[in-house]
Amino acid sequence: MTHHSPRTALRLLGAGVALVSAIAMVGCADQASGGSGSGGDDDTFTLGFAVGGQADADWQDYQGDVAQALAEQRGWKYVELSNDGDEATAVKNADLFVQQGVDAVMMFNGRPEANPVIAKKYADAEIPVITFDIAQEGWYFVGIDNAAAGTEGGTALGELAKSEWDCDVDLVISAQGTAAGQIDTWRTGNAATAIGEVCPDIPEDAYVAYEADGNLTTSLQNAPGVFAAHPDAENILVVGLNDQAVVGALQAATQLGRDANIMGWGQDGGLITGDNVDPNLAGSVMYFLEGYAAYAFQILDEIAAGDAPEVKDTGDDAAVSVQPCAVTQEQAAEIPGIEERVAEISQADEGTTLYDLYCKN
């Protein structure tokens, strides 16, 4: 069953006739048109945004808040759908946007195995796509420098282990998200490698990995097997694809009574701010995910002006690179909560990013 958060549902209602028209045209490909100003009855630029819609990831809905505000500033039409963290839903949403004839699409899709199918649909319709953090050939890539982010997080955690434990580490756990492919290799793999560079005497067999799927619930379910397989490990470090993956392992350790000496360092910053930060999440590499639209609009403004830039579709050759911001839990506590950050970036001067506002200094 498709689920939309209240925030997303309100934006769907706000899209009004435009969205109803899109739904009514499902299966009517002969009525669909490409991305050439055909998103409505006039020449108003129409932007579609497929938000991630994954549970426990409120930044995905907030990305829509920022995108809607920036689109309204420009007088554009804006239609939002949720991928609901589901492969089939992401494909269906692509069909809806194509059939409506939007002029451009932004997307975060946590099920990237669907992206090749989706990419063909948009390519056939000649609709440009901007993807967040997960690259796809032919789409503009807006995202973190994943390789640098992984290294920054692992280095920070390694330095903490060196300071706290003199590098006496019994276990380094990688909470992987293998479906993310190279992204997981950069973030999780580079983090583990960086720990070993700071603490080179950690034995090779102390490095273990399990599938967390970038999801707190999955991570929490699968992590106990790792702890059971290493009953004597005391000083434990955790890295992973994102904050959810890492916190799942930390929560599992707490439930098992194995949290006396465990420290995790996340990726993305999704769970490092606010009132309920896991006490063992020592830090994270903040991406300020909720503000990605501010980067994407640098590309969208050129597309809307009829001067689309060259497609750069990988993290190595990004259309716009998001700078990673490694912070300890204490440093993160000084950064405003996500709602305040969204309000700030939605009203900021053109070209301003959340990194500029909260990490630059």
Side-chain angles (χ1 to χ4, degrees):
M1 179 177 178
T2 300
H3 167 74
H4 300 294
S5 71
R7 184 179 293 106
T8 300
L10 286 174
R11 283 199 292 268
L12 292 176
L13 289 172
V17 175
L19 181 59
V20 172
S21 174
I23 296 172
M25 287 191 290
V26 172
C28 301
D30 58 324
Q31 297 180 31
S33 54
S36 56
S38 55
D41 295 331
D42 54 31
D43 292 330
T44 304
F45 190 83
T46 300
L47 172 63
F49 188 8
V51 299
Q54 293 172 299
D56 302 314
D58 58 355
W59 56 265
Q60 295 180 6
D61 275 339
Y62 282 116
Q63 284 185 339
D65 287 346
V66 175
Q68 183 178 29
L70 297 180
E72 288 176 351
Q73 286 176 8
R74 290 158 171 78
W76 295 353
K77 293 180 181 177
Y78 176 80
V79 181
E80 181 179 308
L81 299 172
S82 174
N83 286 335
D84 290 328
D86 177 71
E87 180 179 357
T89 303
V91 173
K92 180 187 72 175
N93 288 341
D95 286 330
L96 291 174
F97 282 139
V98 167
Q99 289 156 7
Q100 190 179 356
V102 300
D103 295 287
V105 168
M106 293 193 305
M107 172 191 305
F108 177 80
N109 181 21
R111 308 304 312 182
E113 60 269 31
N115 283 349
V117 172
I118 295 171
K120 185 177 188 308
K121 293 176 182 291
Y122 286 130
D124 290 346
E126 299 182 356
I127 296 173
V129 181
I130 299 171
T131 179
F132 293 162
D133 267 341
I134 298 176
Q136 171 62 41
E137 183 178 358
W139 293 354
Y140 294 101
F141 179 87
V142 170
I144 202 74
D145 183 337
N146 288 287
T151 298
E152 282 194 22
T155 299
L157 188 57
E159 293 289 354
L160 193 57
K162 185 176 182 178
S163 172
E164 297 286 330
W165 302 334
D166 195 27
C167 284
D168 181 17
V169 177
D170 300 312
L171 198 61
V172 178
I173 300 175
S174 292
Q176 294 180 316
T178 54
Q182 183 63 44
I183 305 301
D184 181 60
T185 301
W186 278 326
R187 294 186 190 177
T188 312
N190 281 21
T193 298
I195 289 172
E197 291 174 351
V198 176
C199 297
D201 293 332
I202 299 174
E204 186 175 342
D205 61 2
Y207 290 84
V208 298
Y210 74 99
E211 182 57 56
D213 199 32
N215 180 276
L216 191 151
T217 301
T218 303
S219 183
L220 180 59
Q221 290 173 344
N222 293 346
V226 176
F227 293 108
H230 299 83
D232 298 325
E234 295 182 1
N235 294 344
I236 302 170
L237 302 178
V238 184
V239 296
L241 177 68
N242 54 15
D243 278 13
Q244 289 199 45
V246 173
V247 170
L250 299 177
Q251 289 186 359
T254 298
Q255 292 178 6
L256 295 168
R258 298 286 299 276
D259 60 337
N261 293 292
I262 189 169
M263 298 186 293
W265 201 284
Q267 290 283 336
D268 77 17
L271 298 178
I272 197 65
T273 61
D275 298 328
N276 298 304
V277 180
D278 189 289
N280 295 312
L281 185 63
S284 182
V285 182
M286 294 194 72
Y287 304 173
F288 298 108
L289 292 158
E290 68 280 0
Y292 270 27
Y295 293 91
F297 271 71
Q298 298 175 29
I299 303 166
L300 289 166
D301 285 335
E302 294 185 59
I303 293 173
D307 189 23
E310 175 187 357
V311 172
K312 295 184 177 181
D313 56 16
T314 69
D316 290 330
D317 187 27
V320 183
S321 288
V322 177
Q323 191 161 355
C325 178
V327 293
T328 65
Q329 185 173 135
E330 291 74 21
Q331 290 170 331
E334 300 299 318
I335 296 173
I338 193 168
E339 291 188 359
E340 183 176 339
R341 299 199 305 265
V342 167
E344 288 288 332
I345 195 63
S346 296
Q347 301 171 22
D349 293 338
E350 190 171 315
T352 301
T353 67
L354 285 169
Y355 181 93
D356 296 329
L357 293 175
Y358 301 119
C359 194
K360 205 166 189 177
N361 298 317

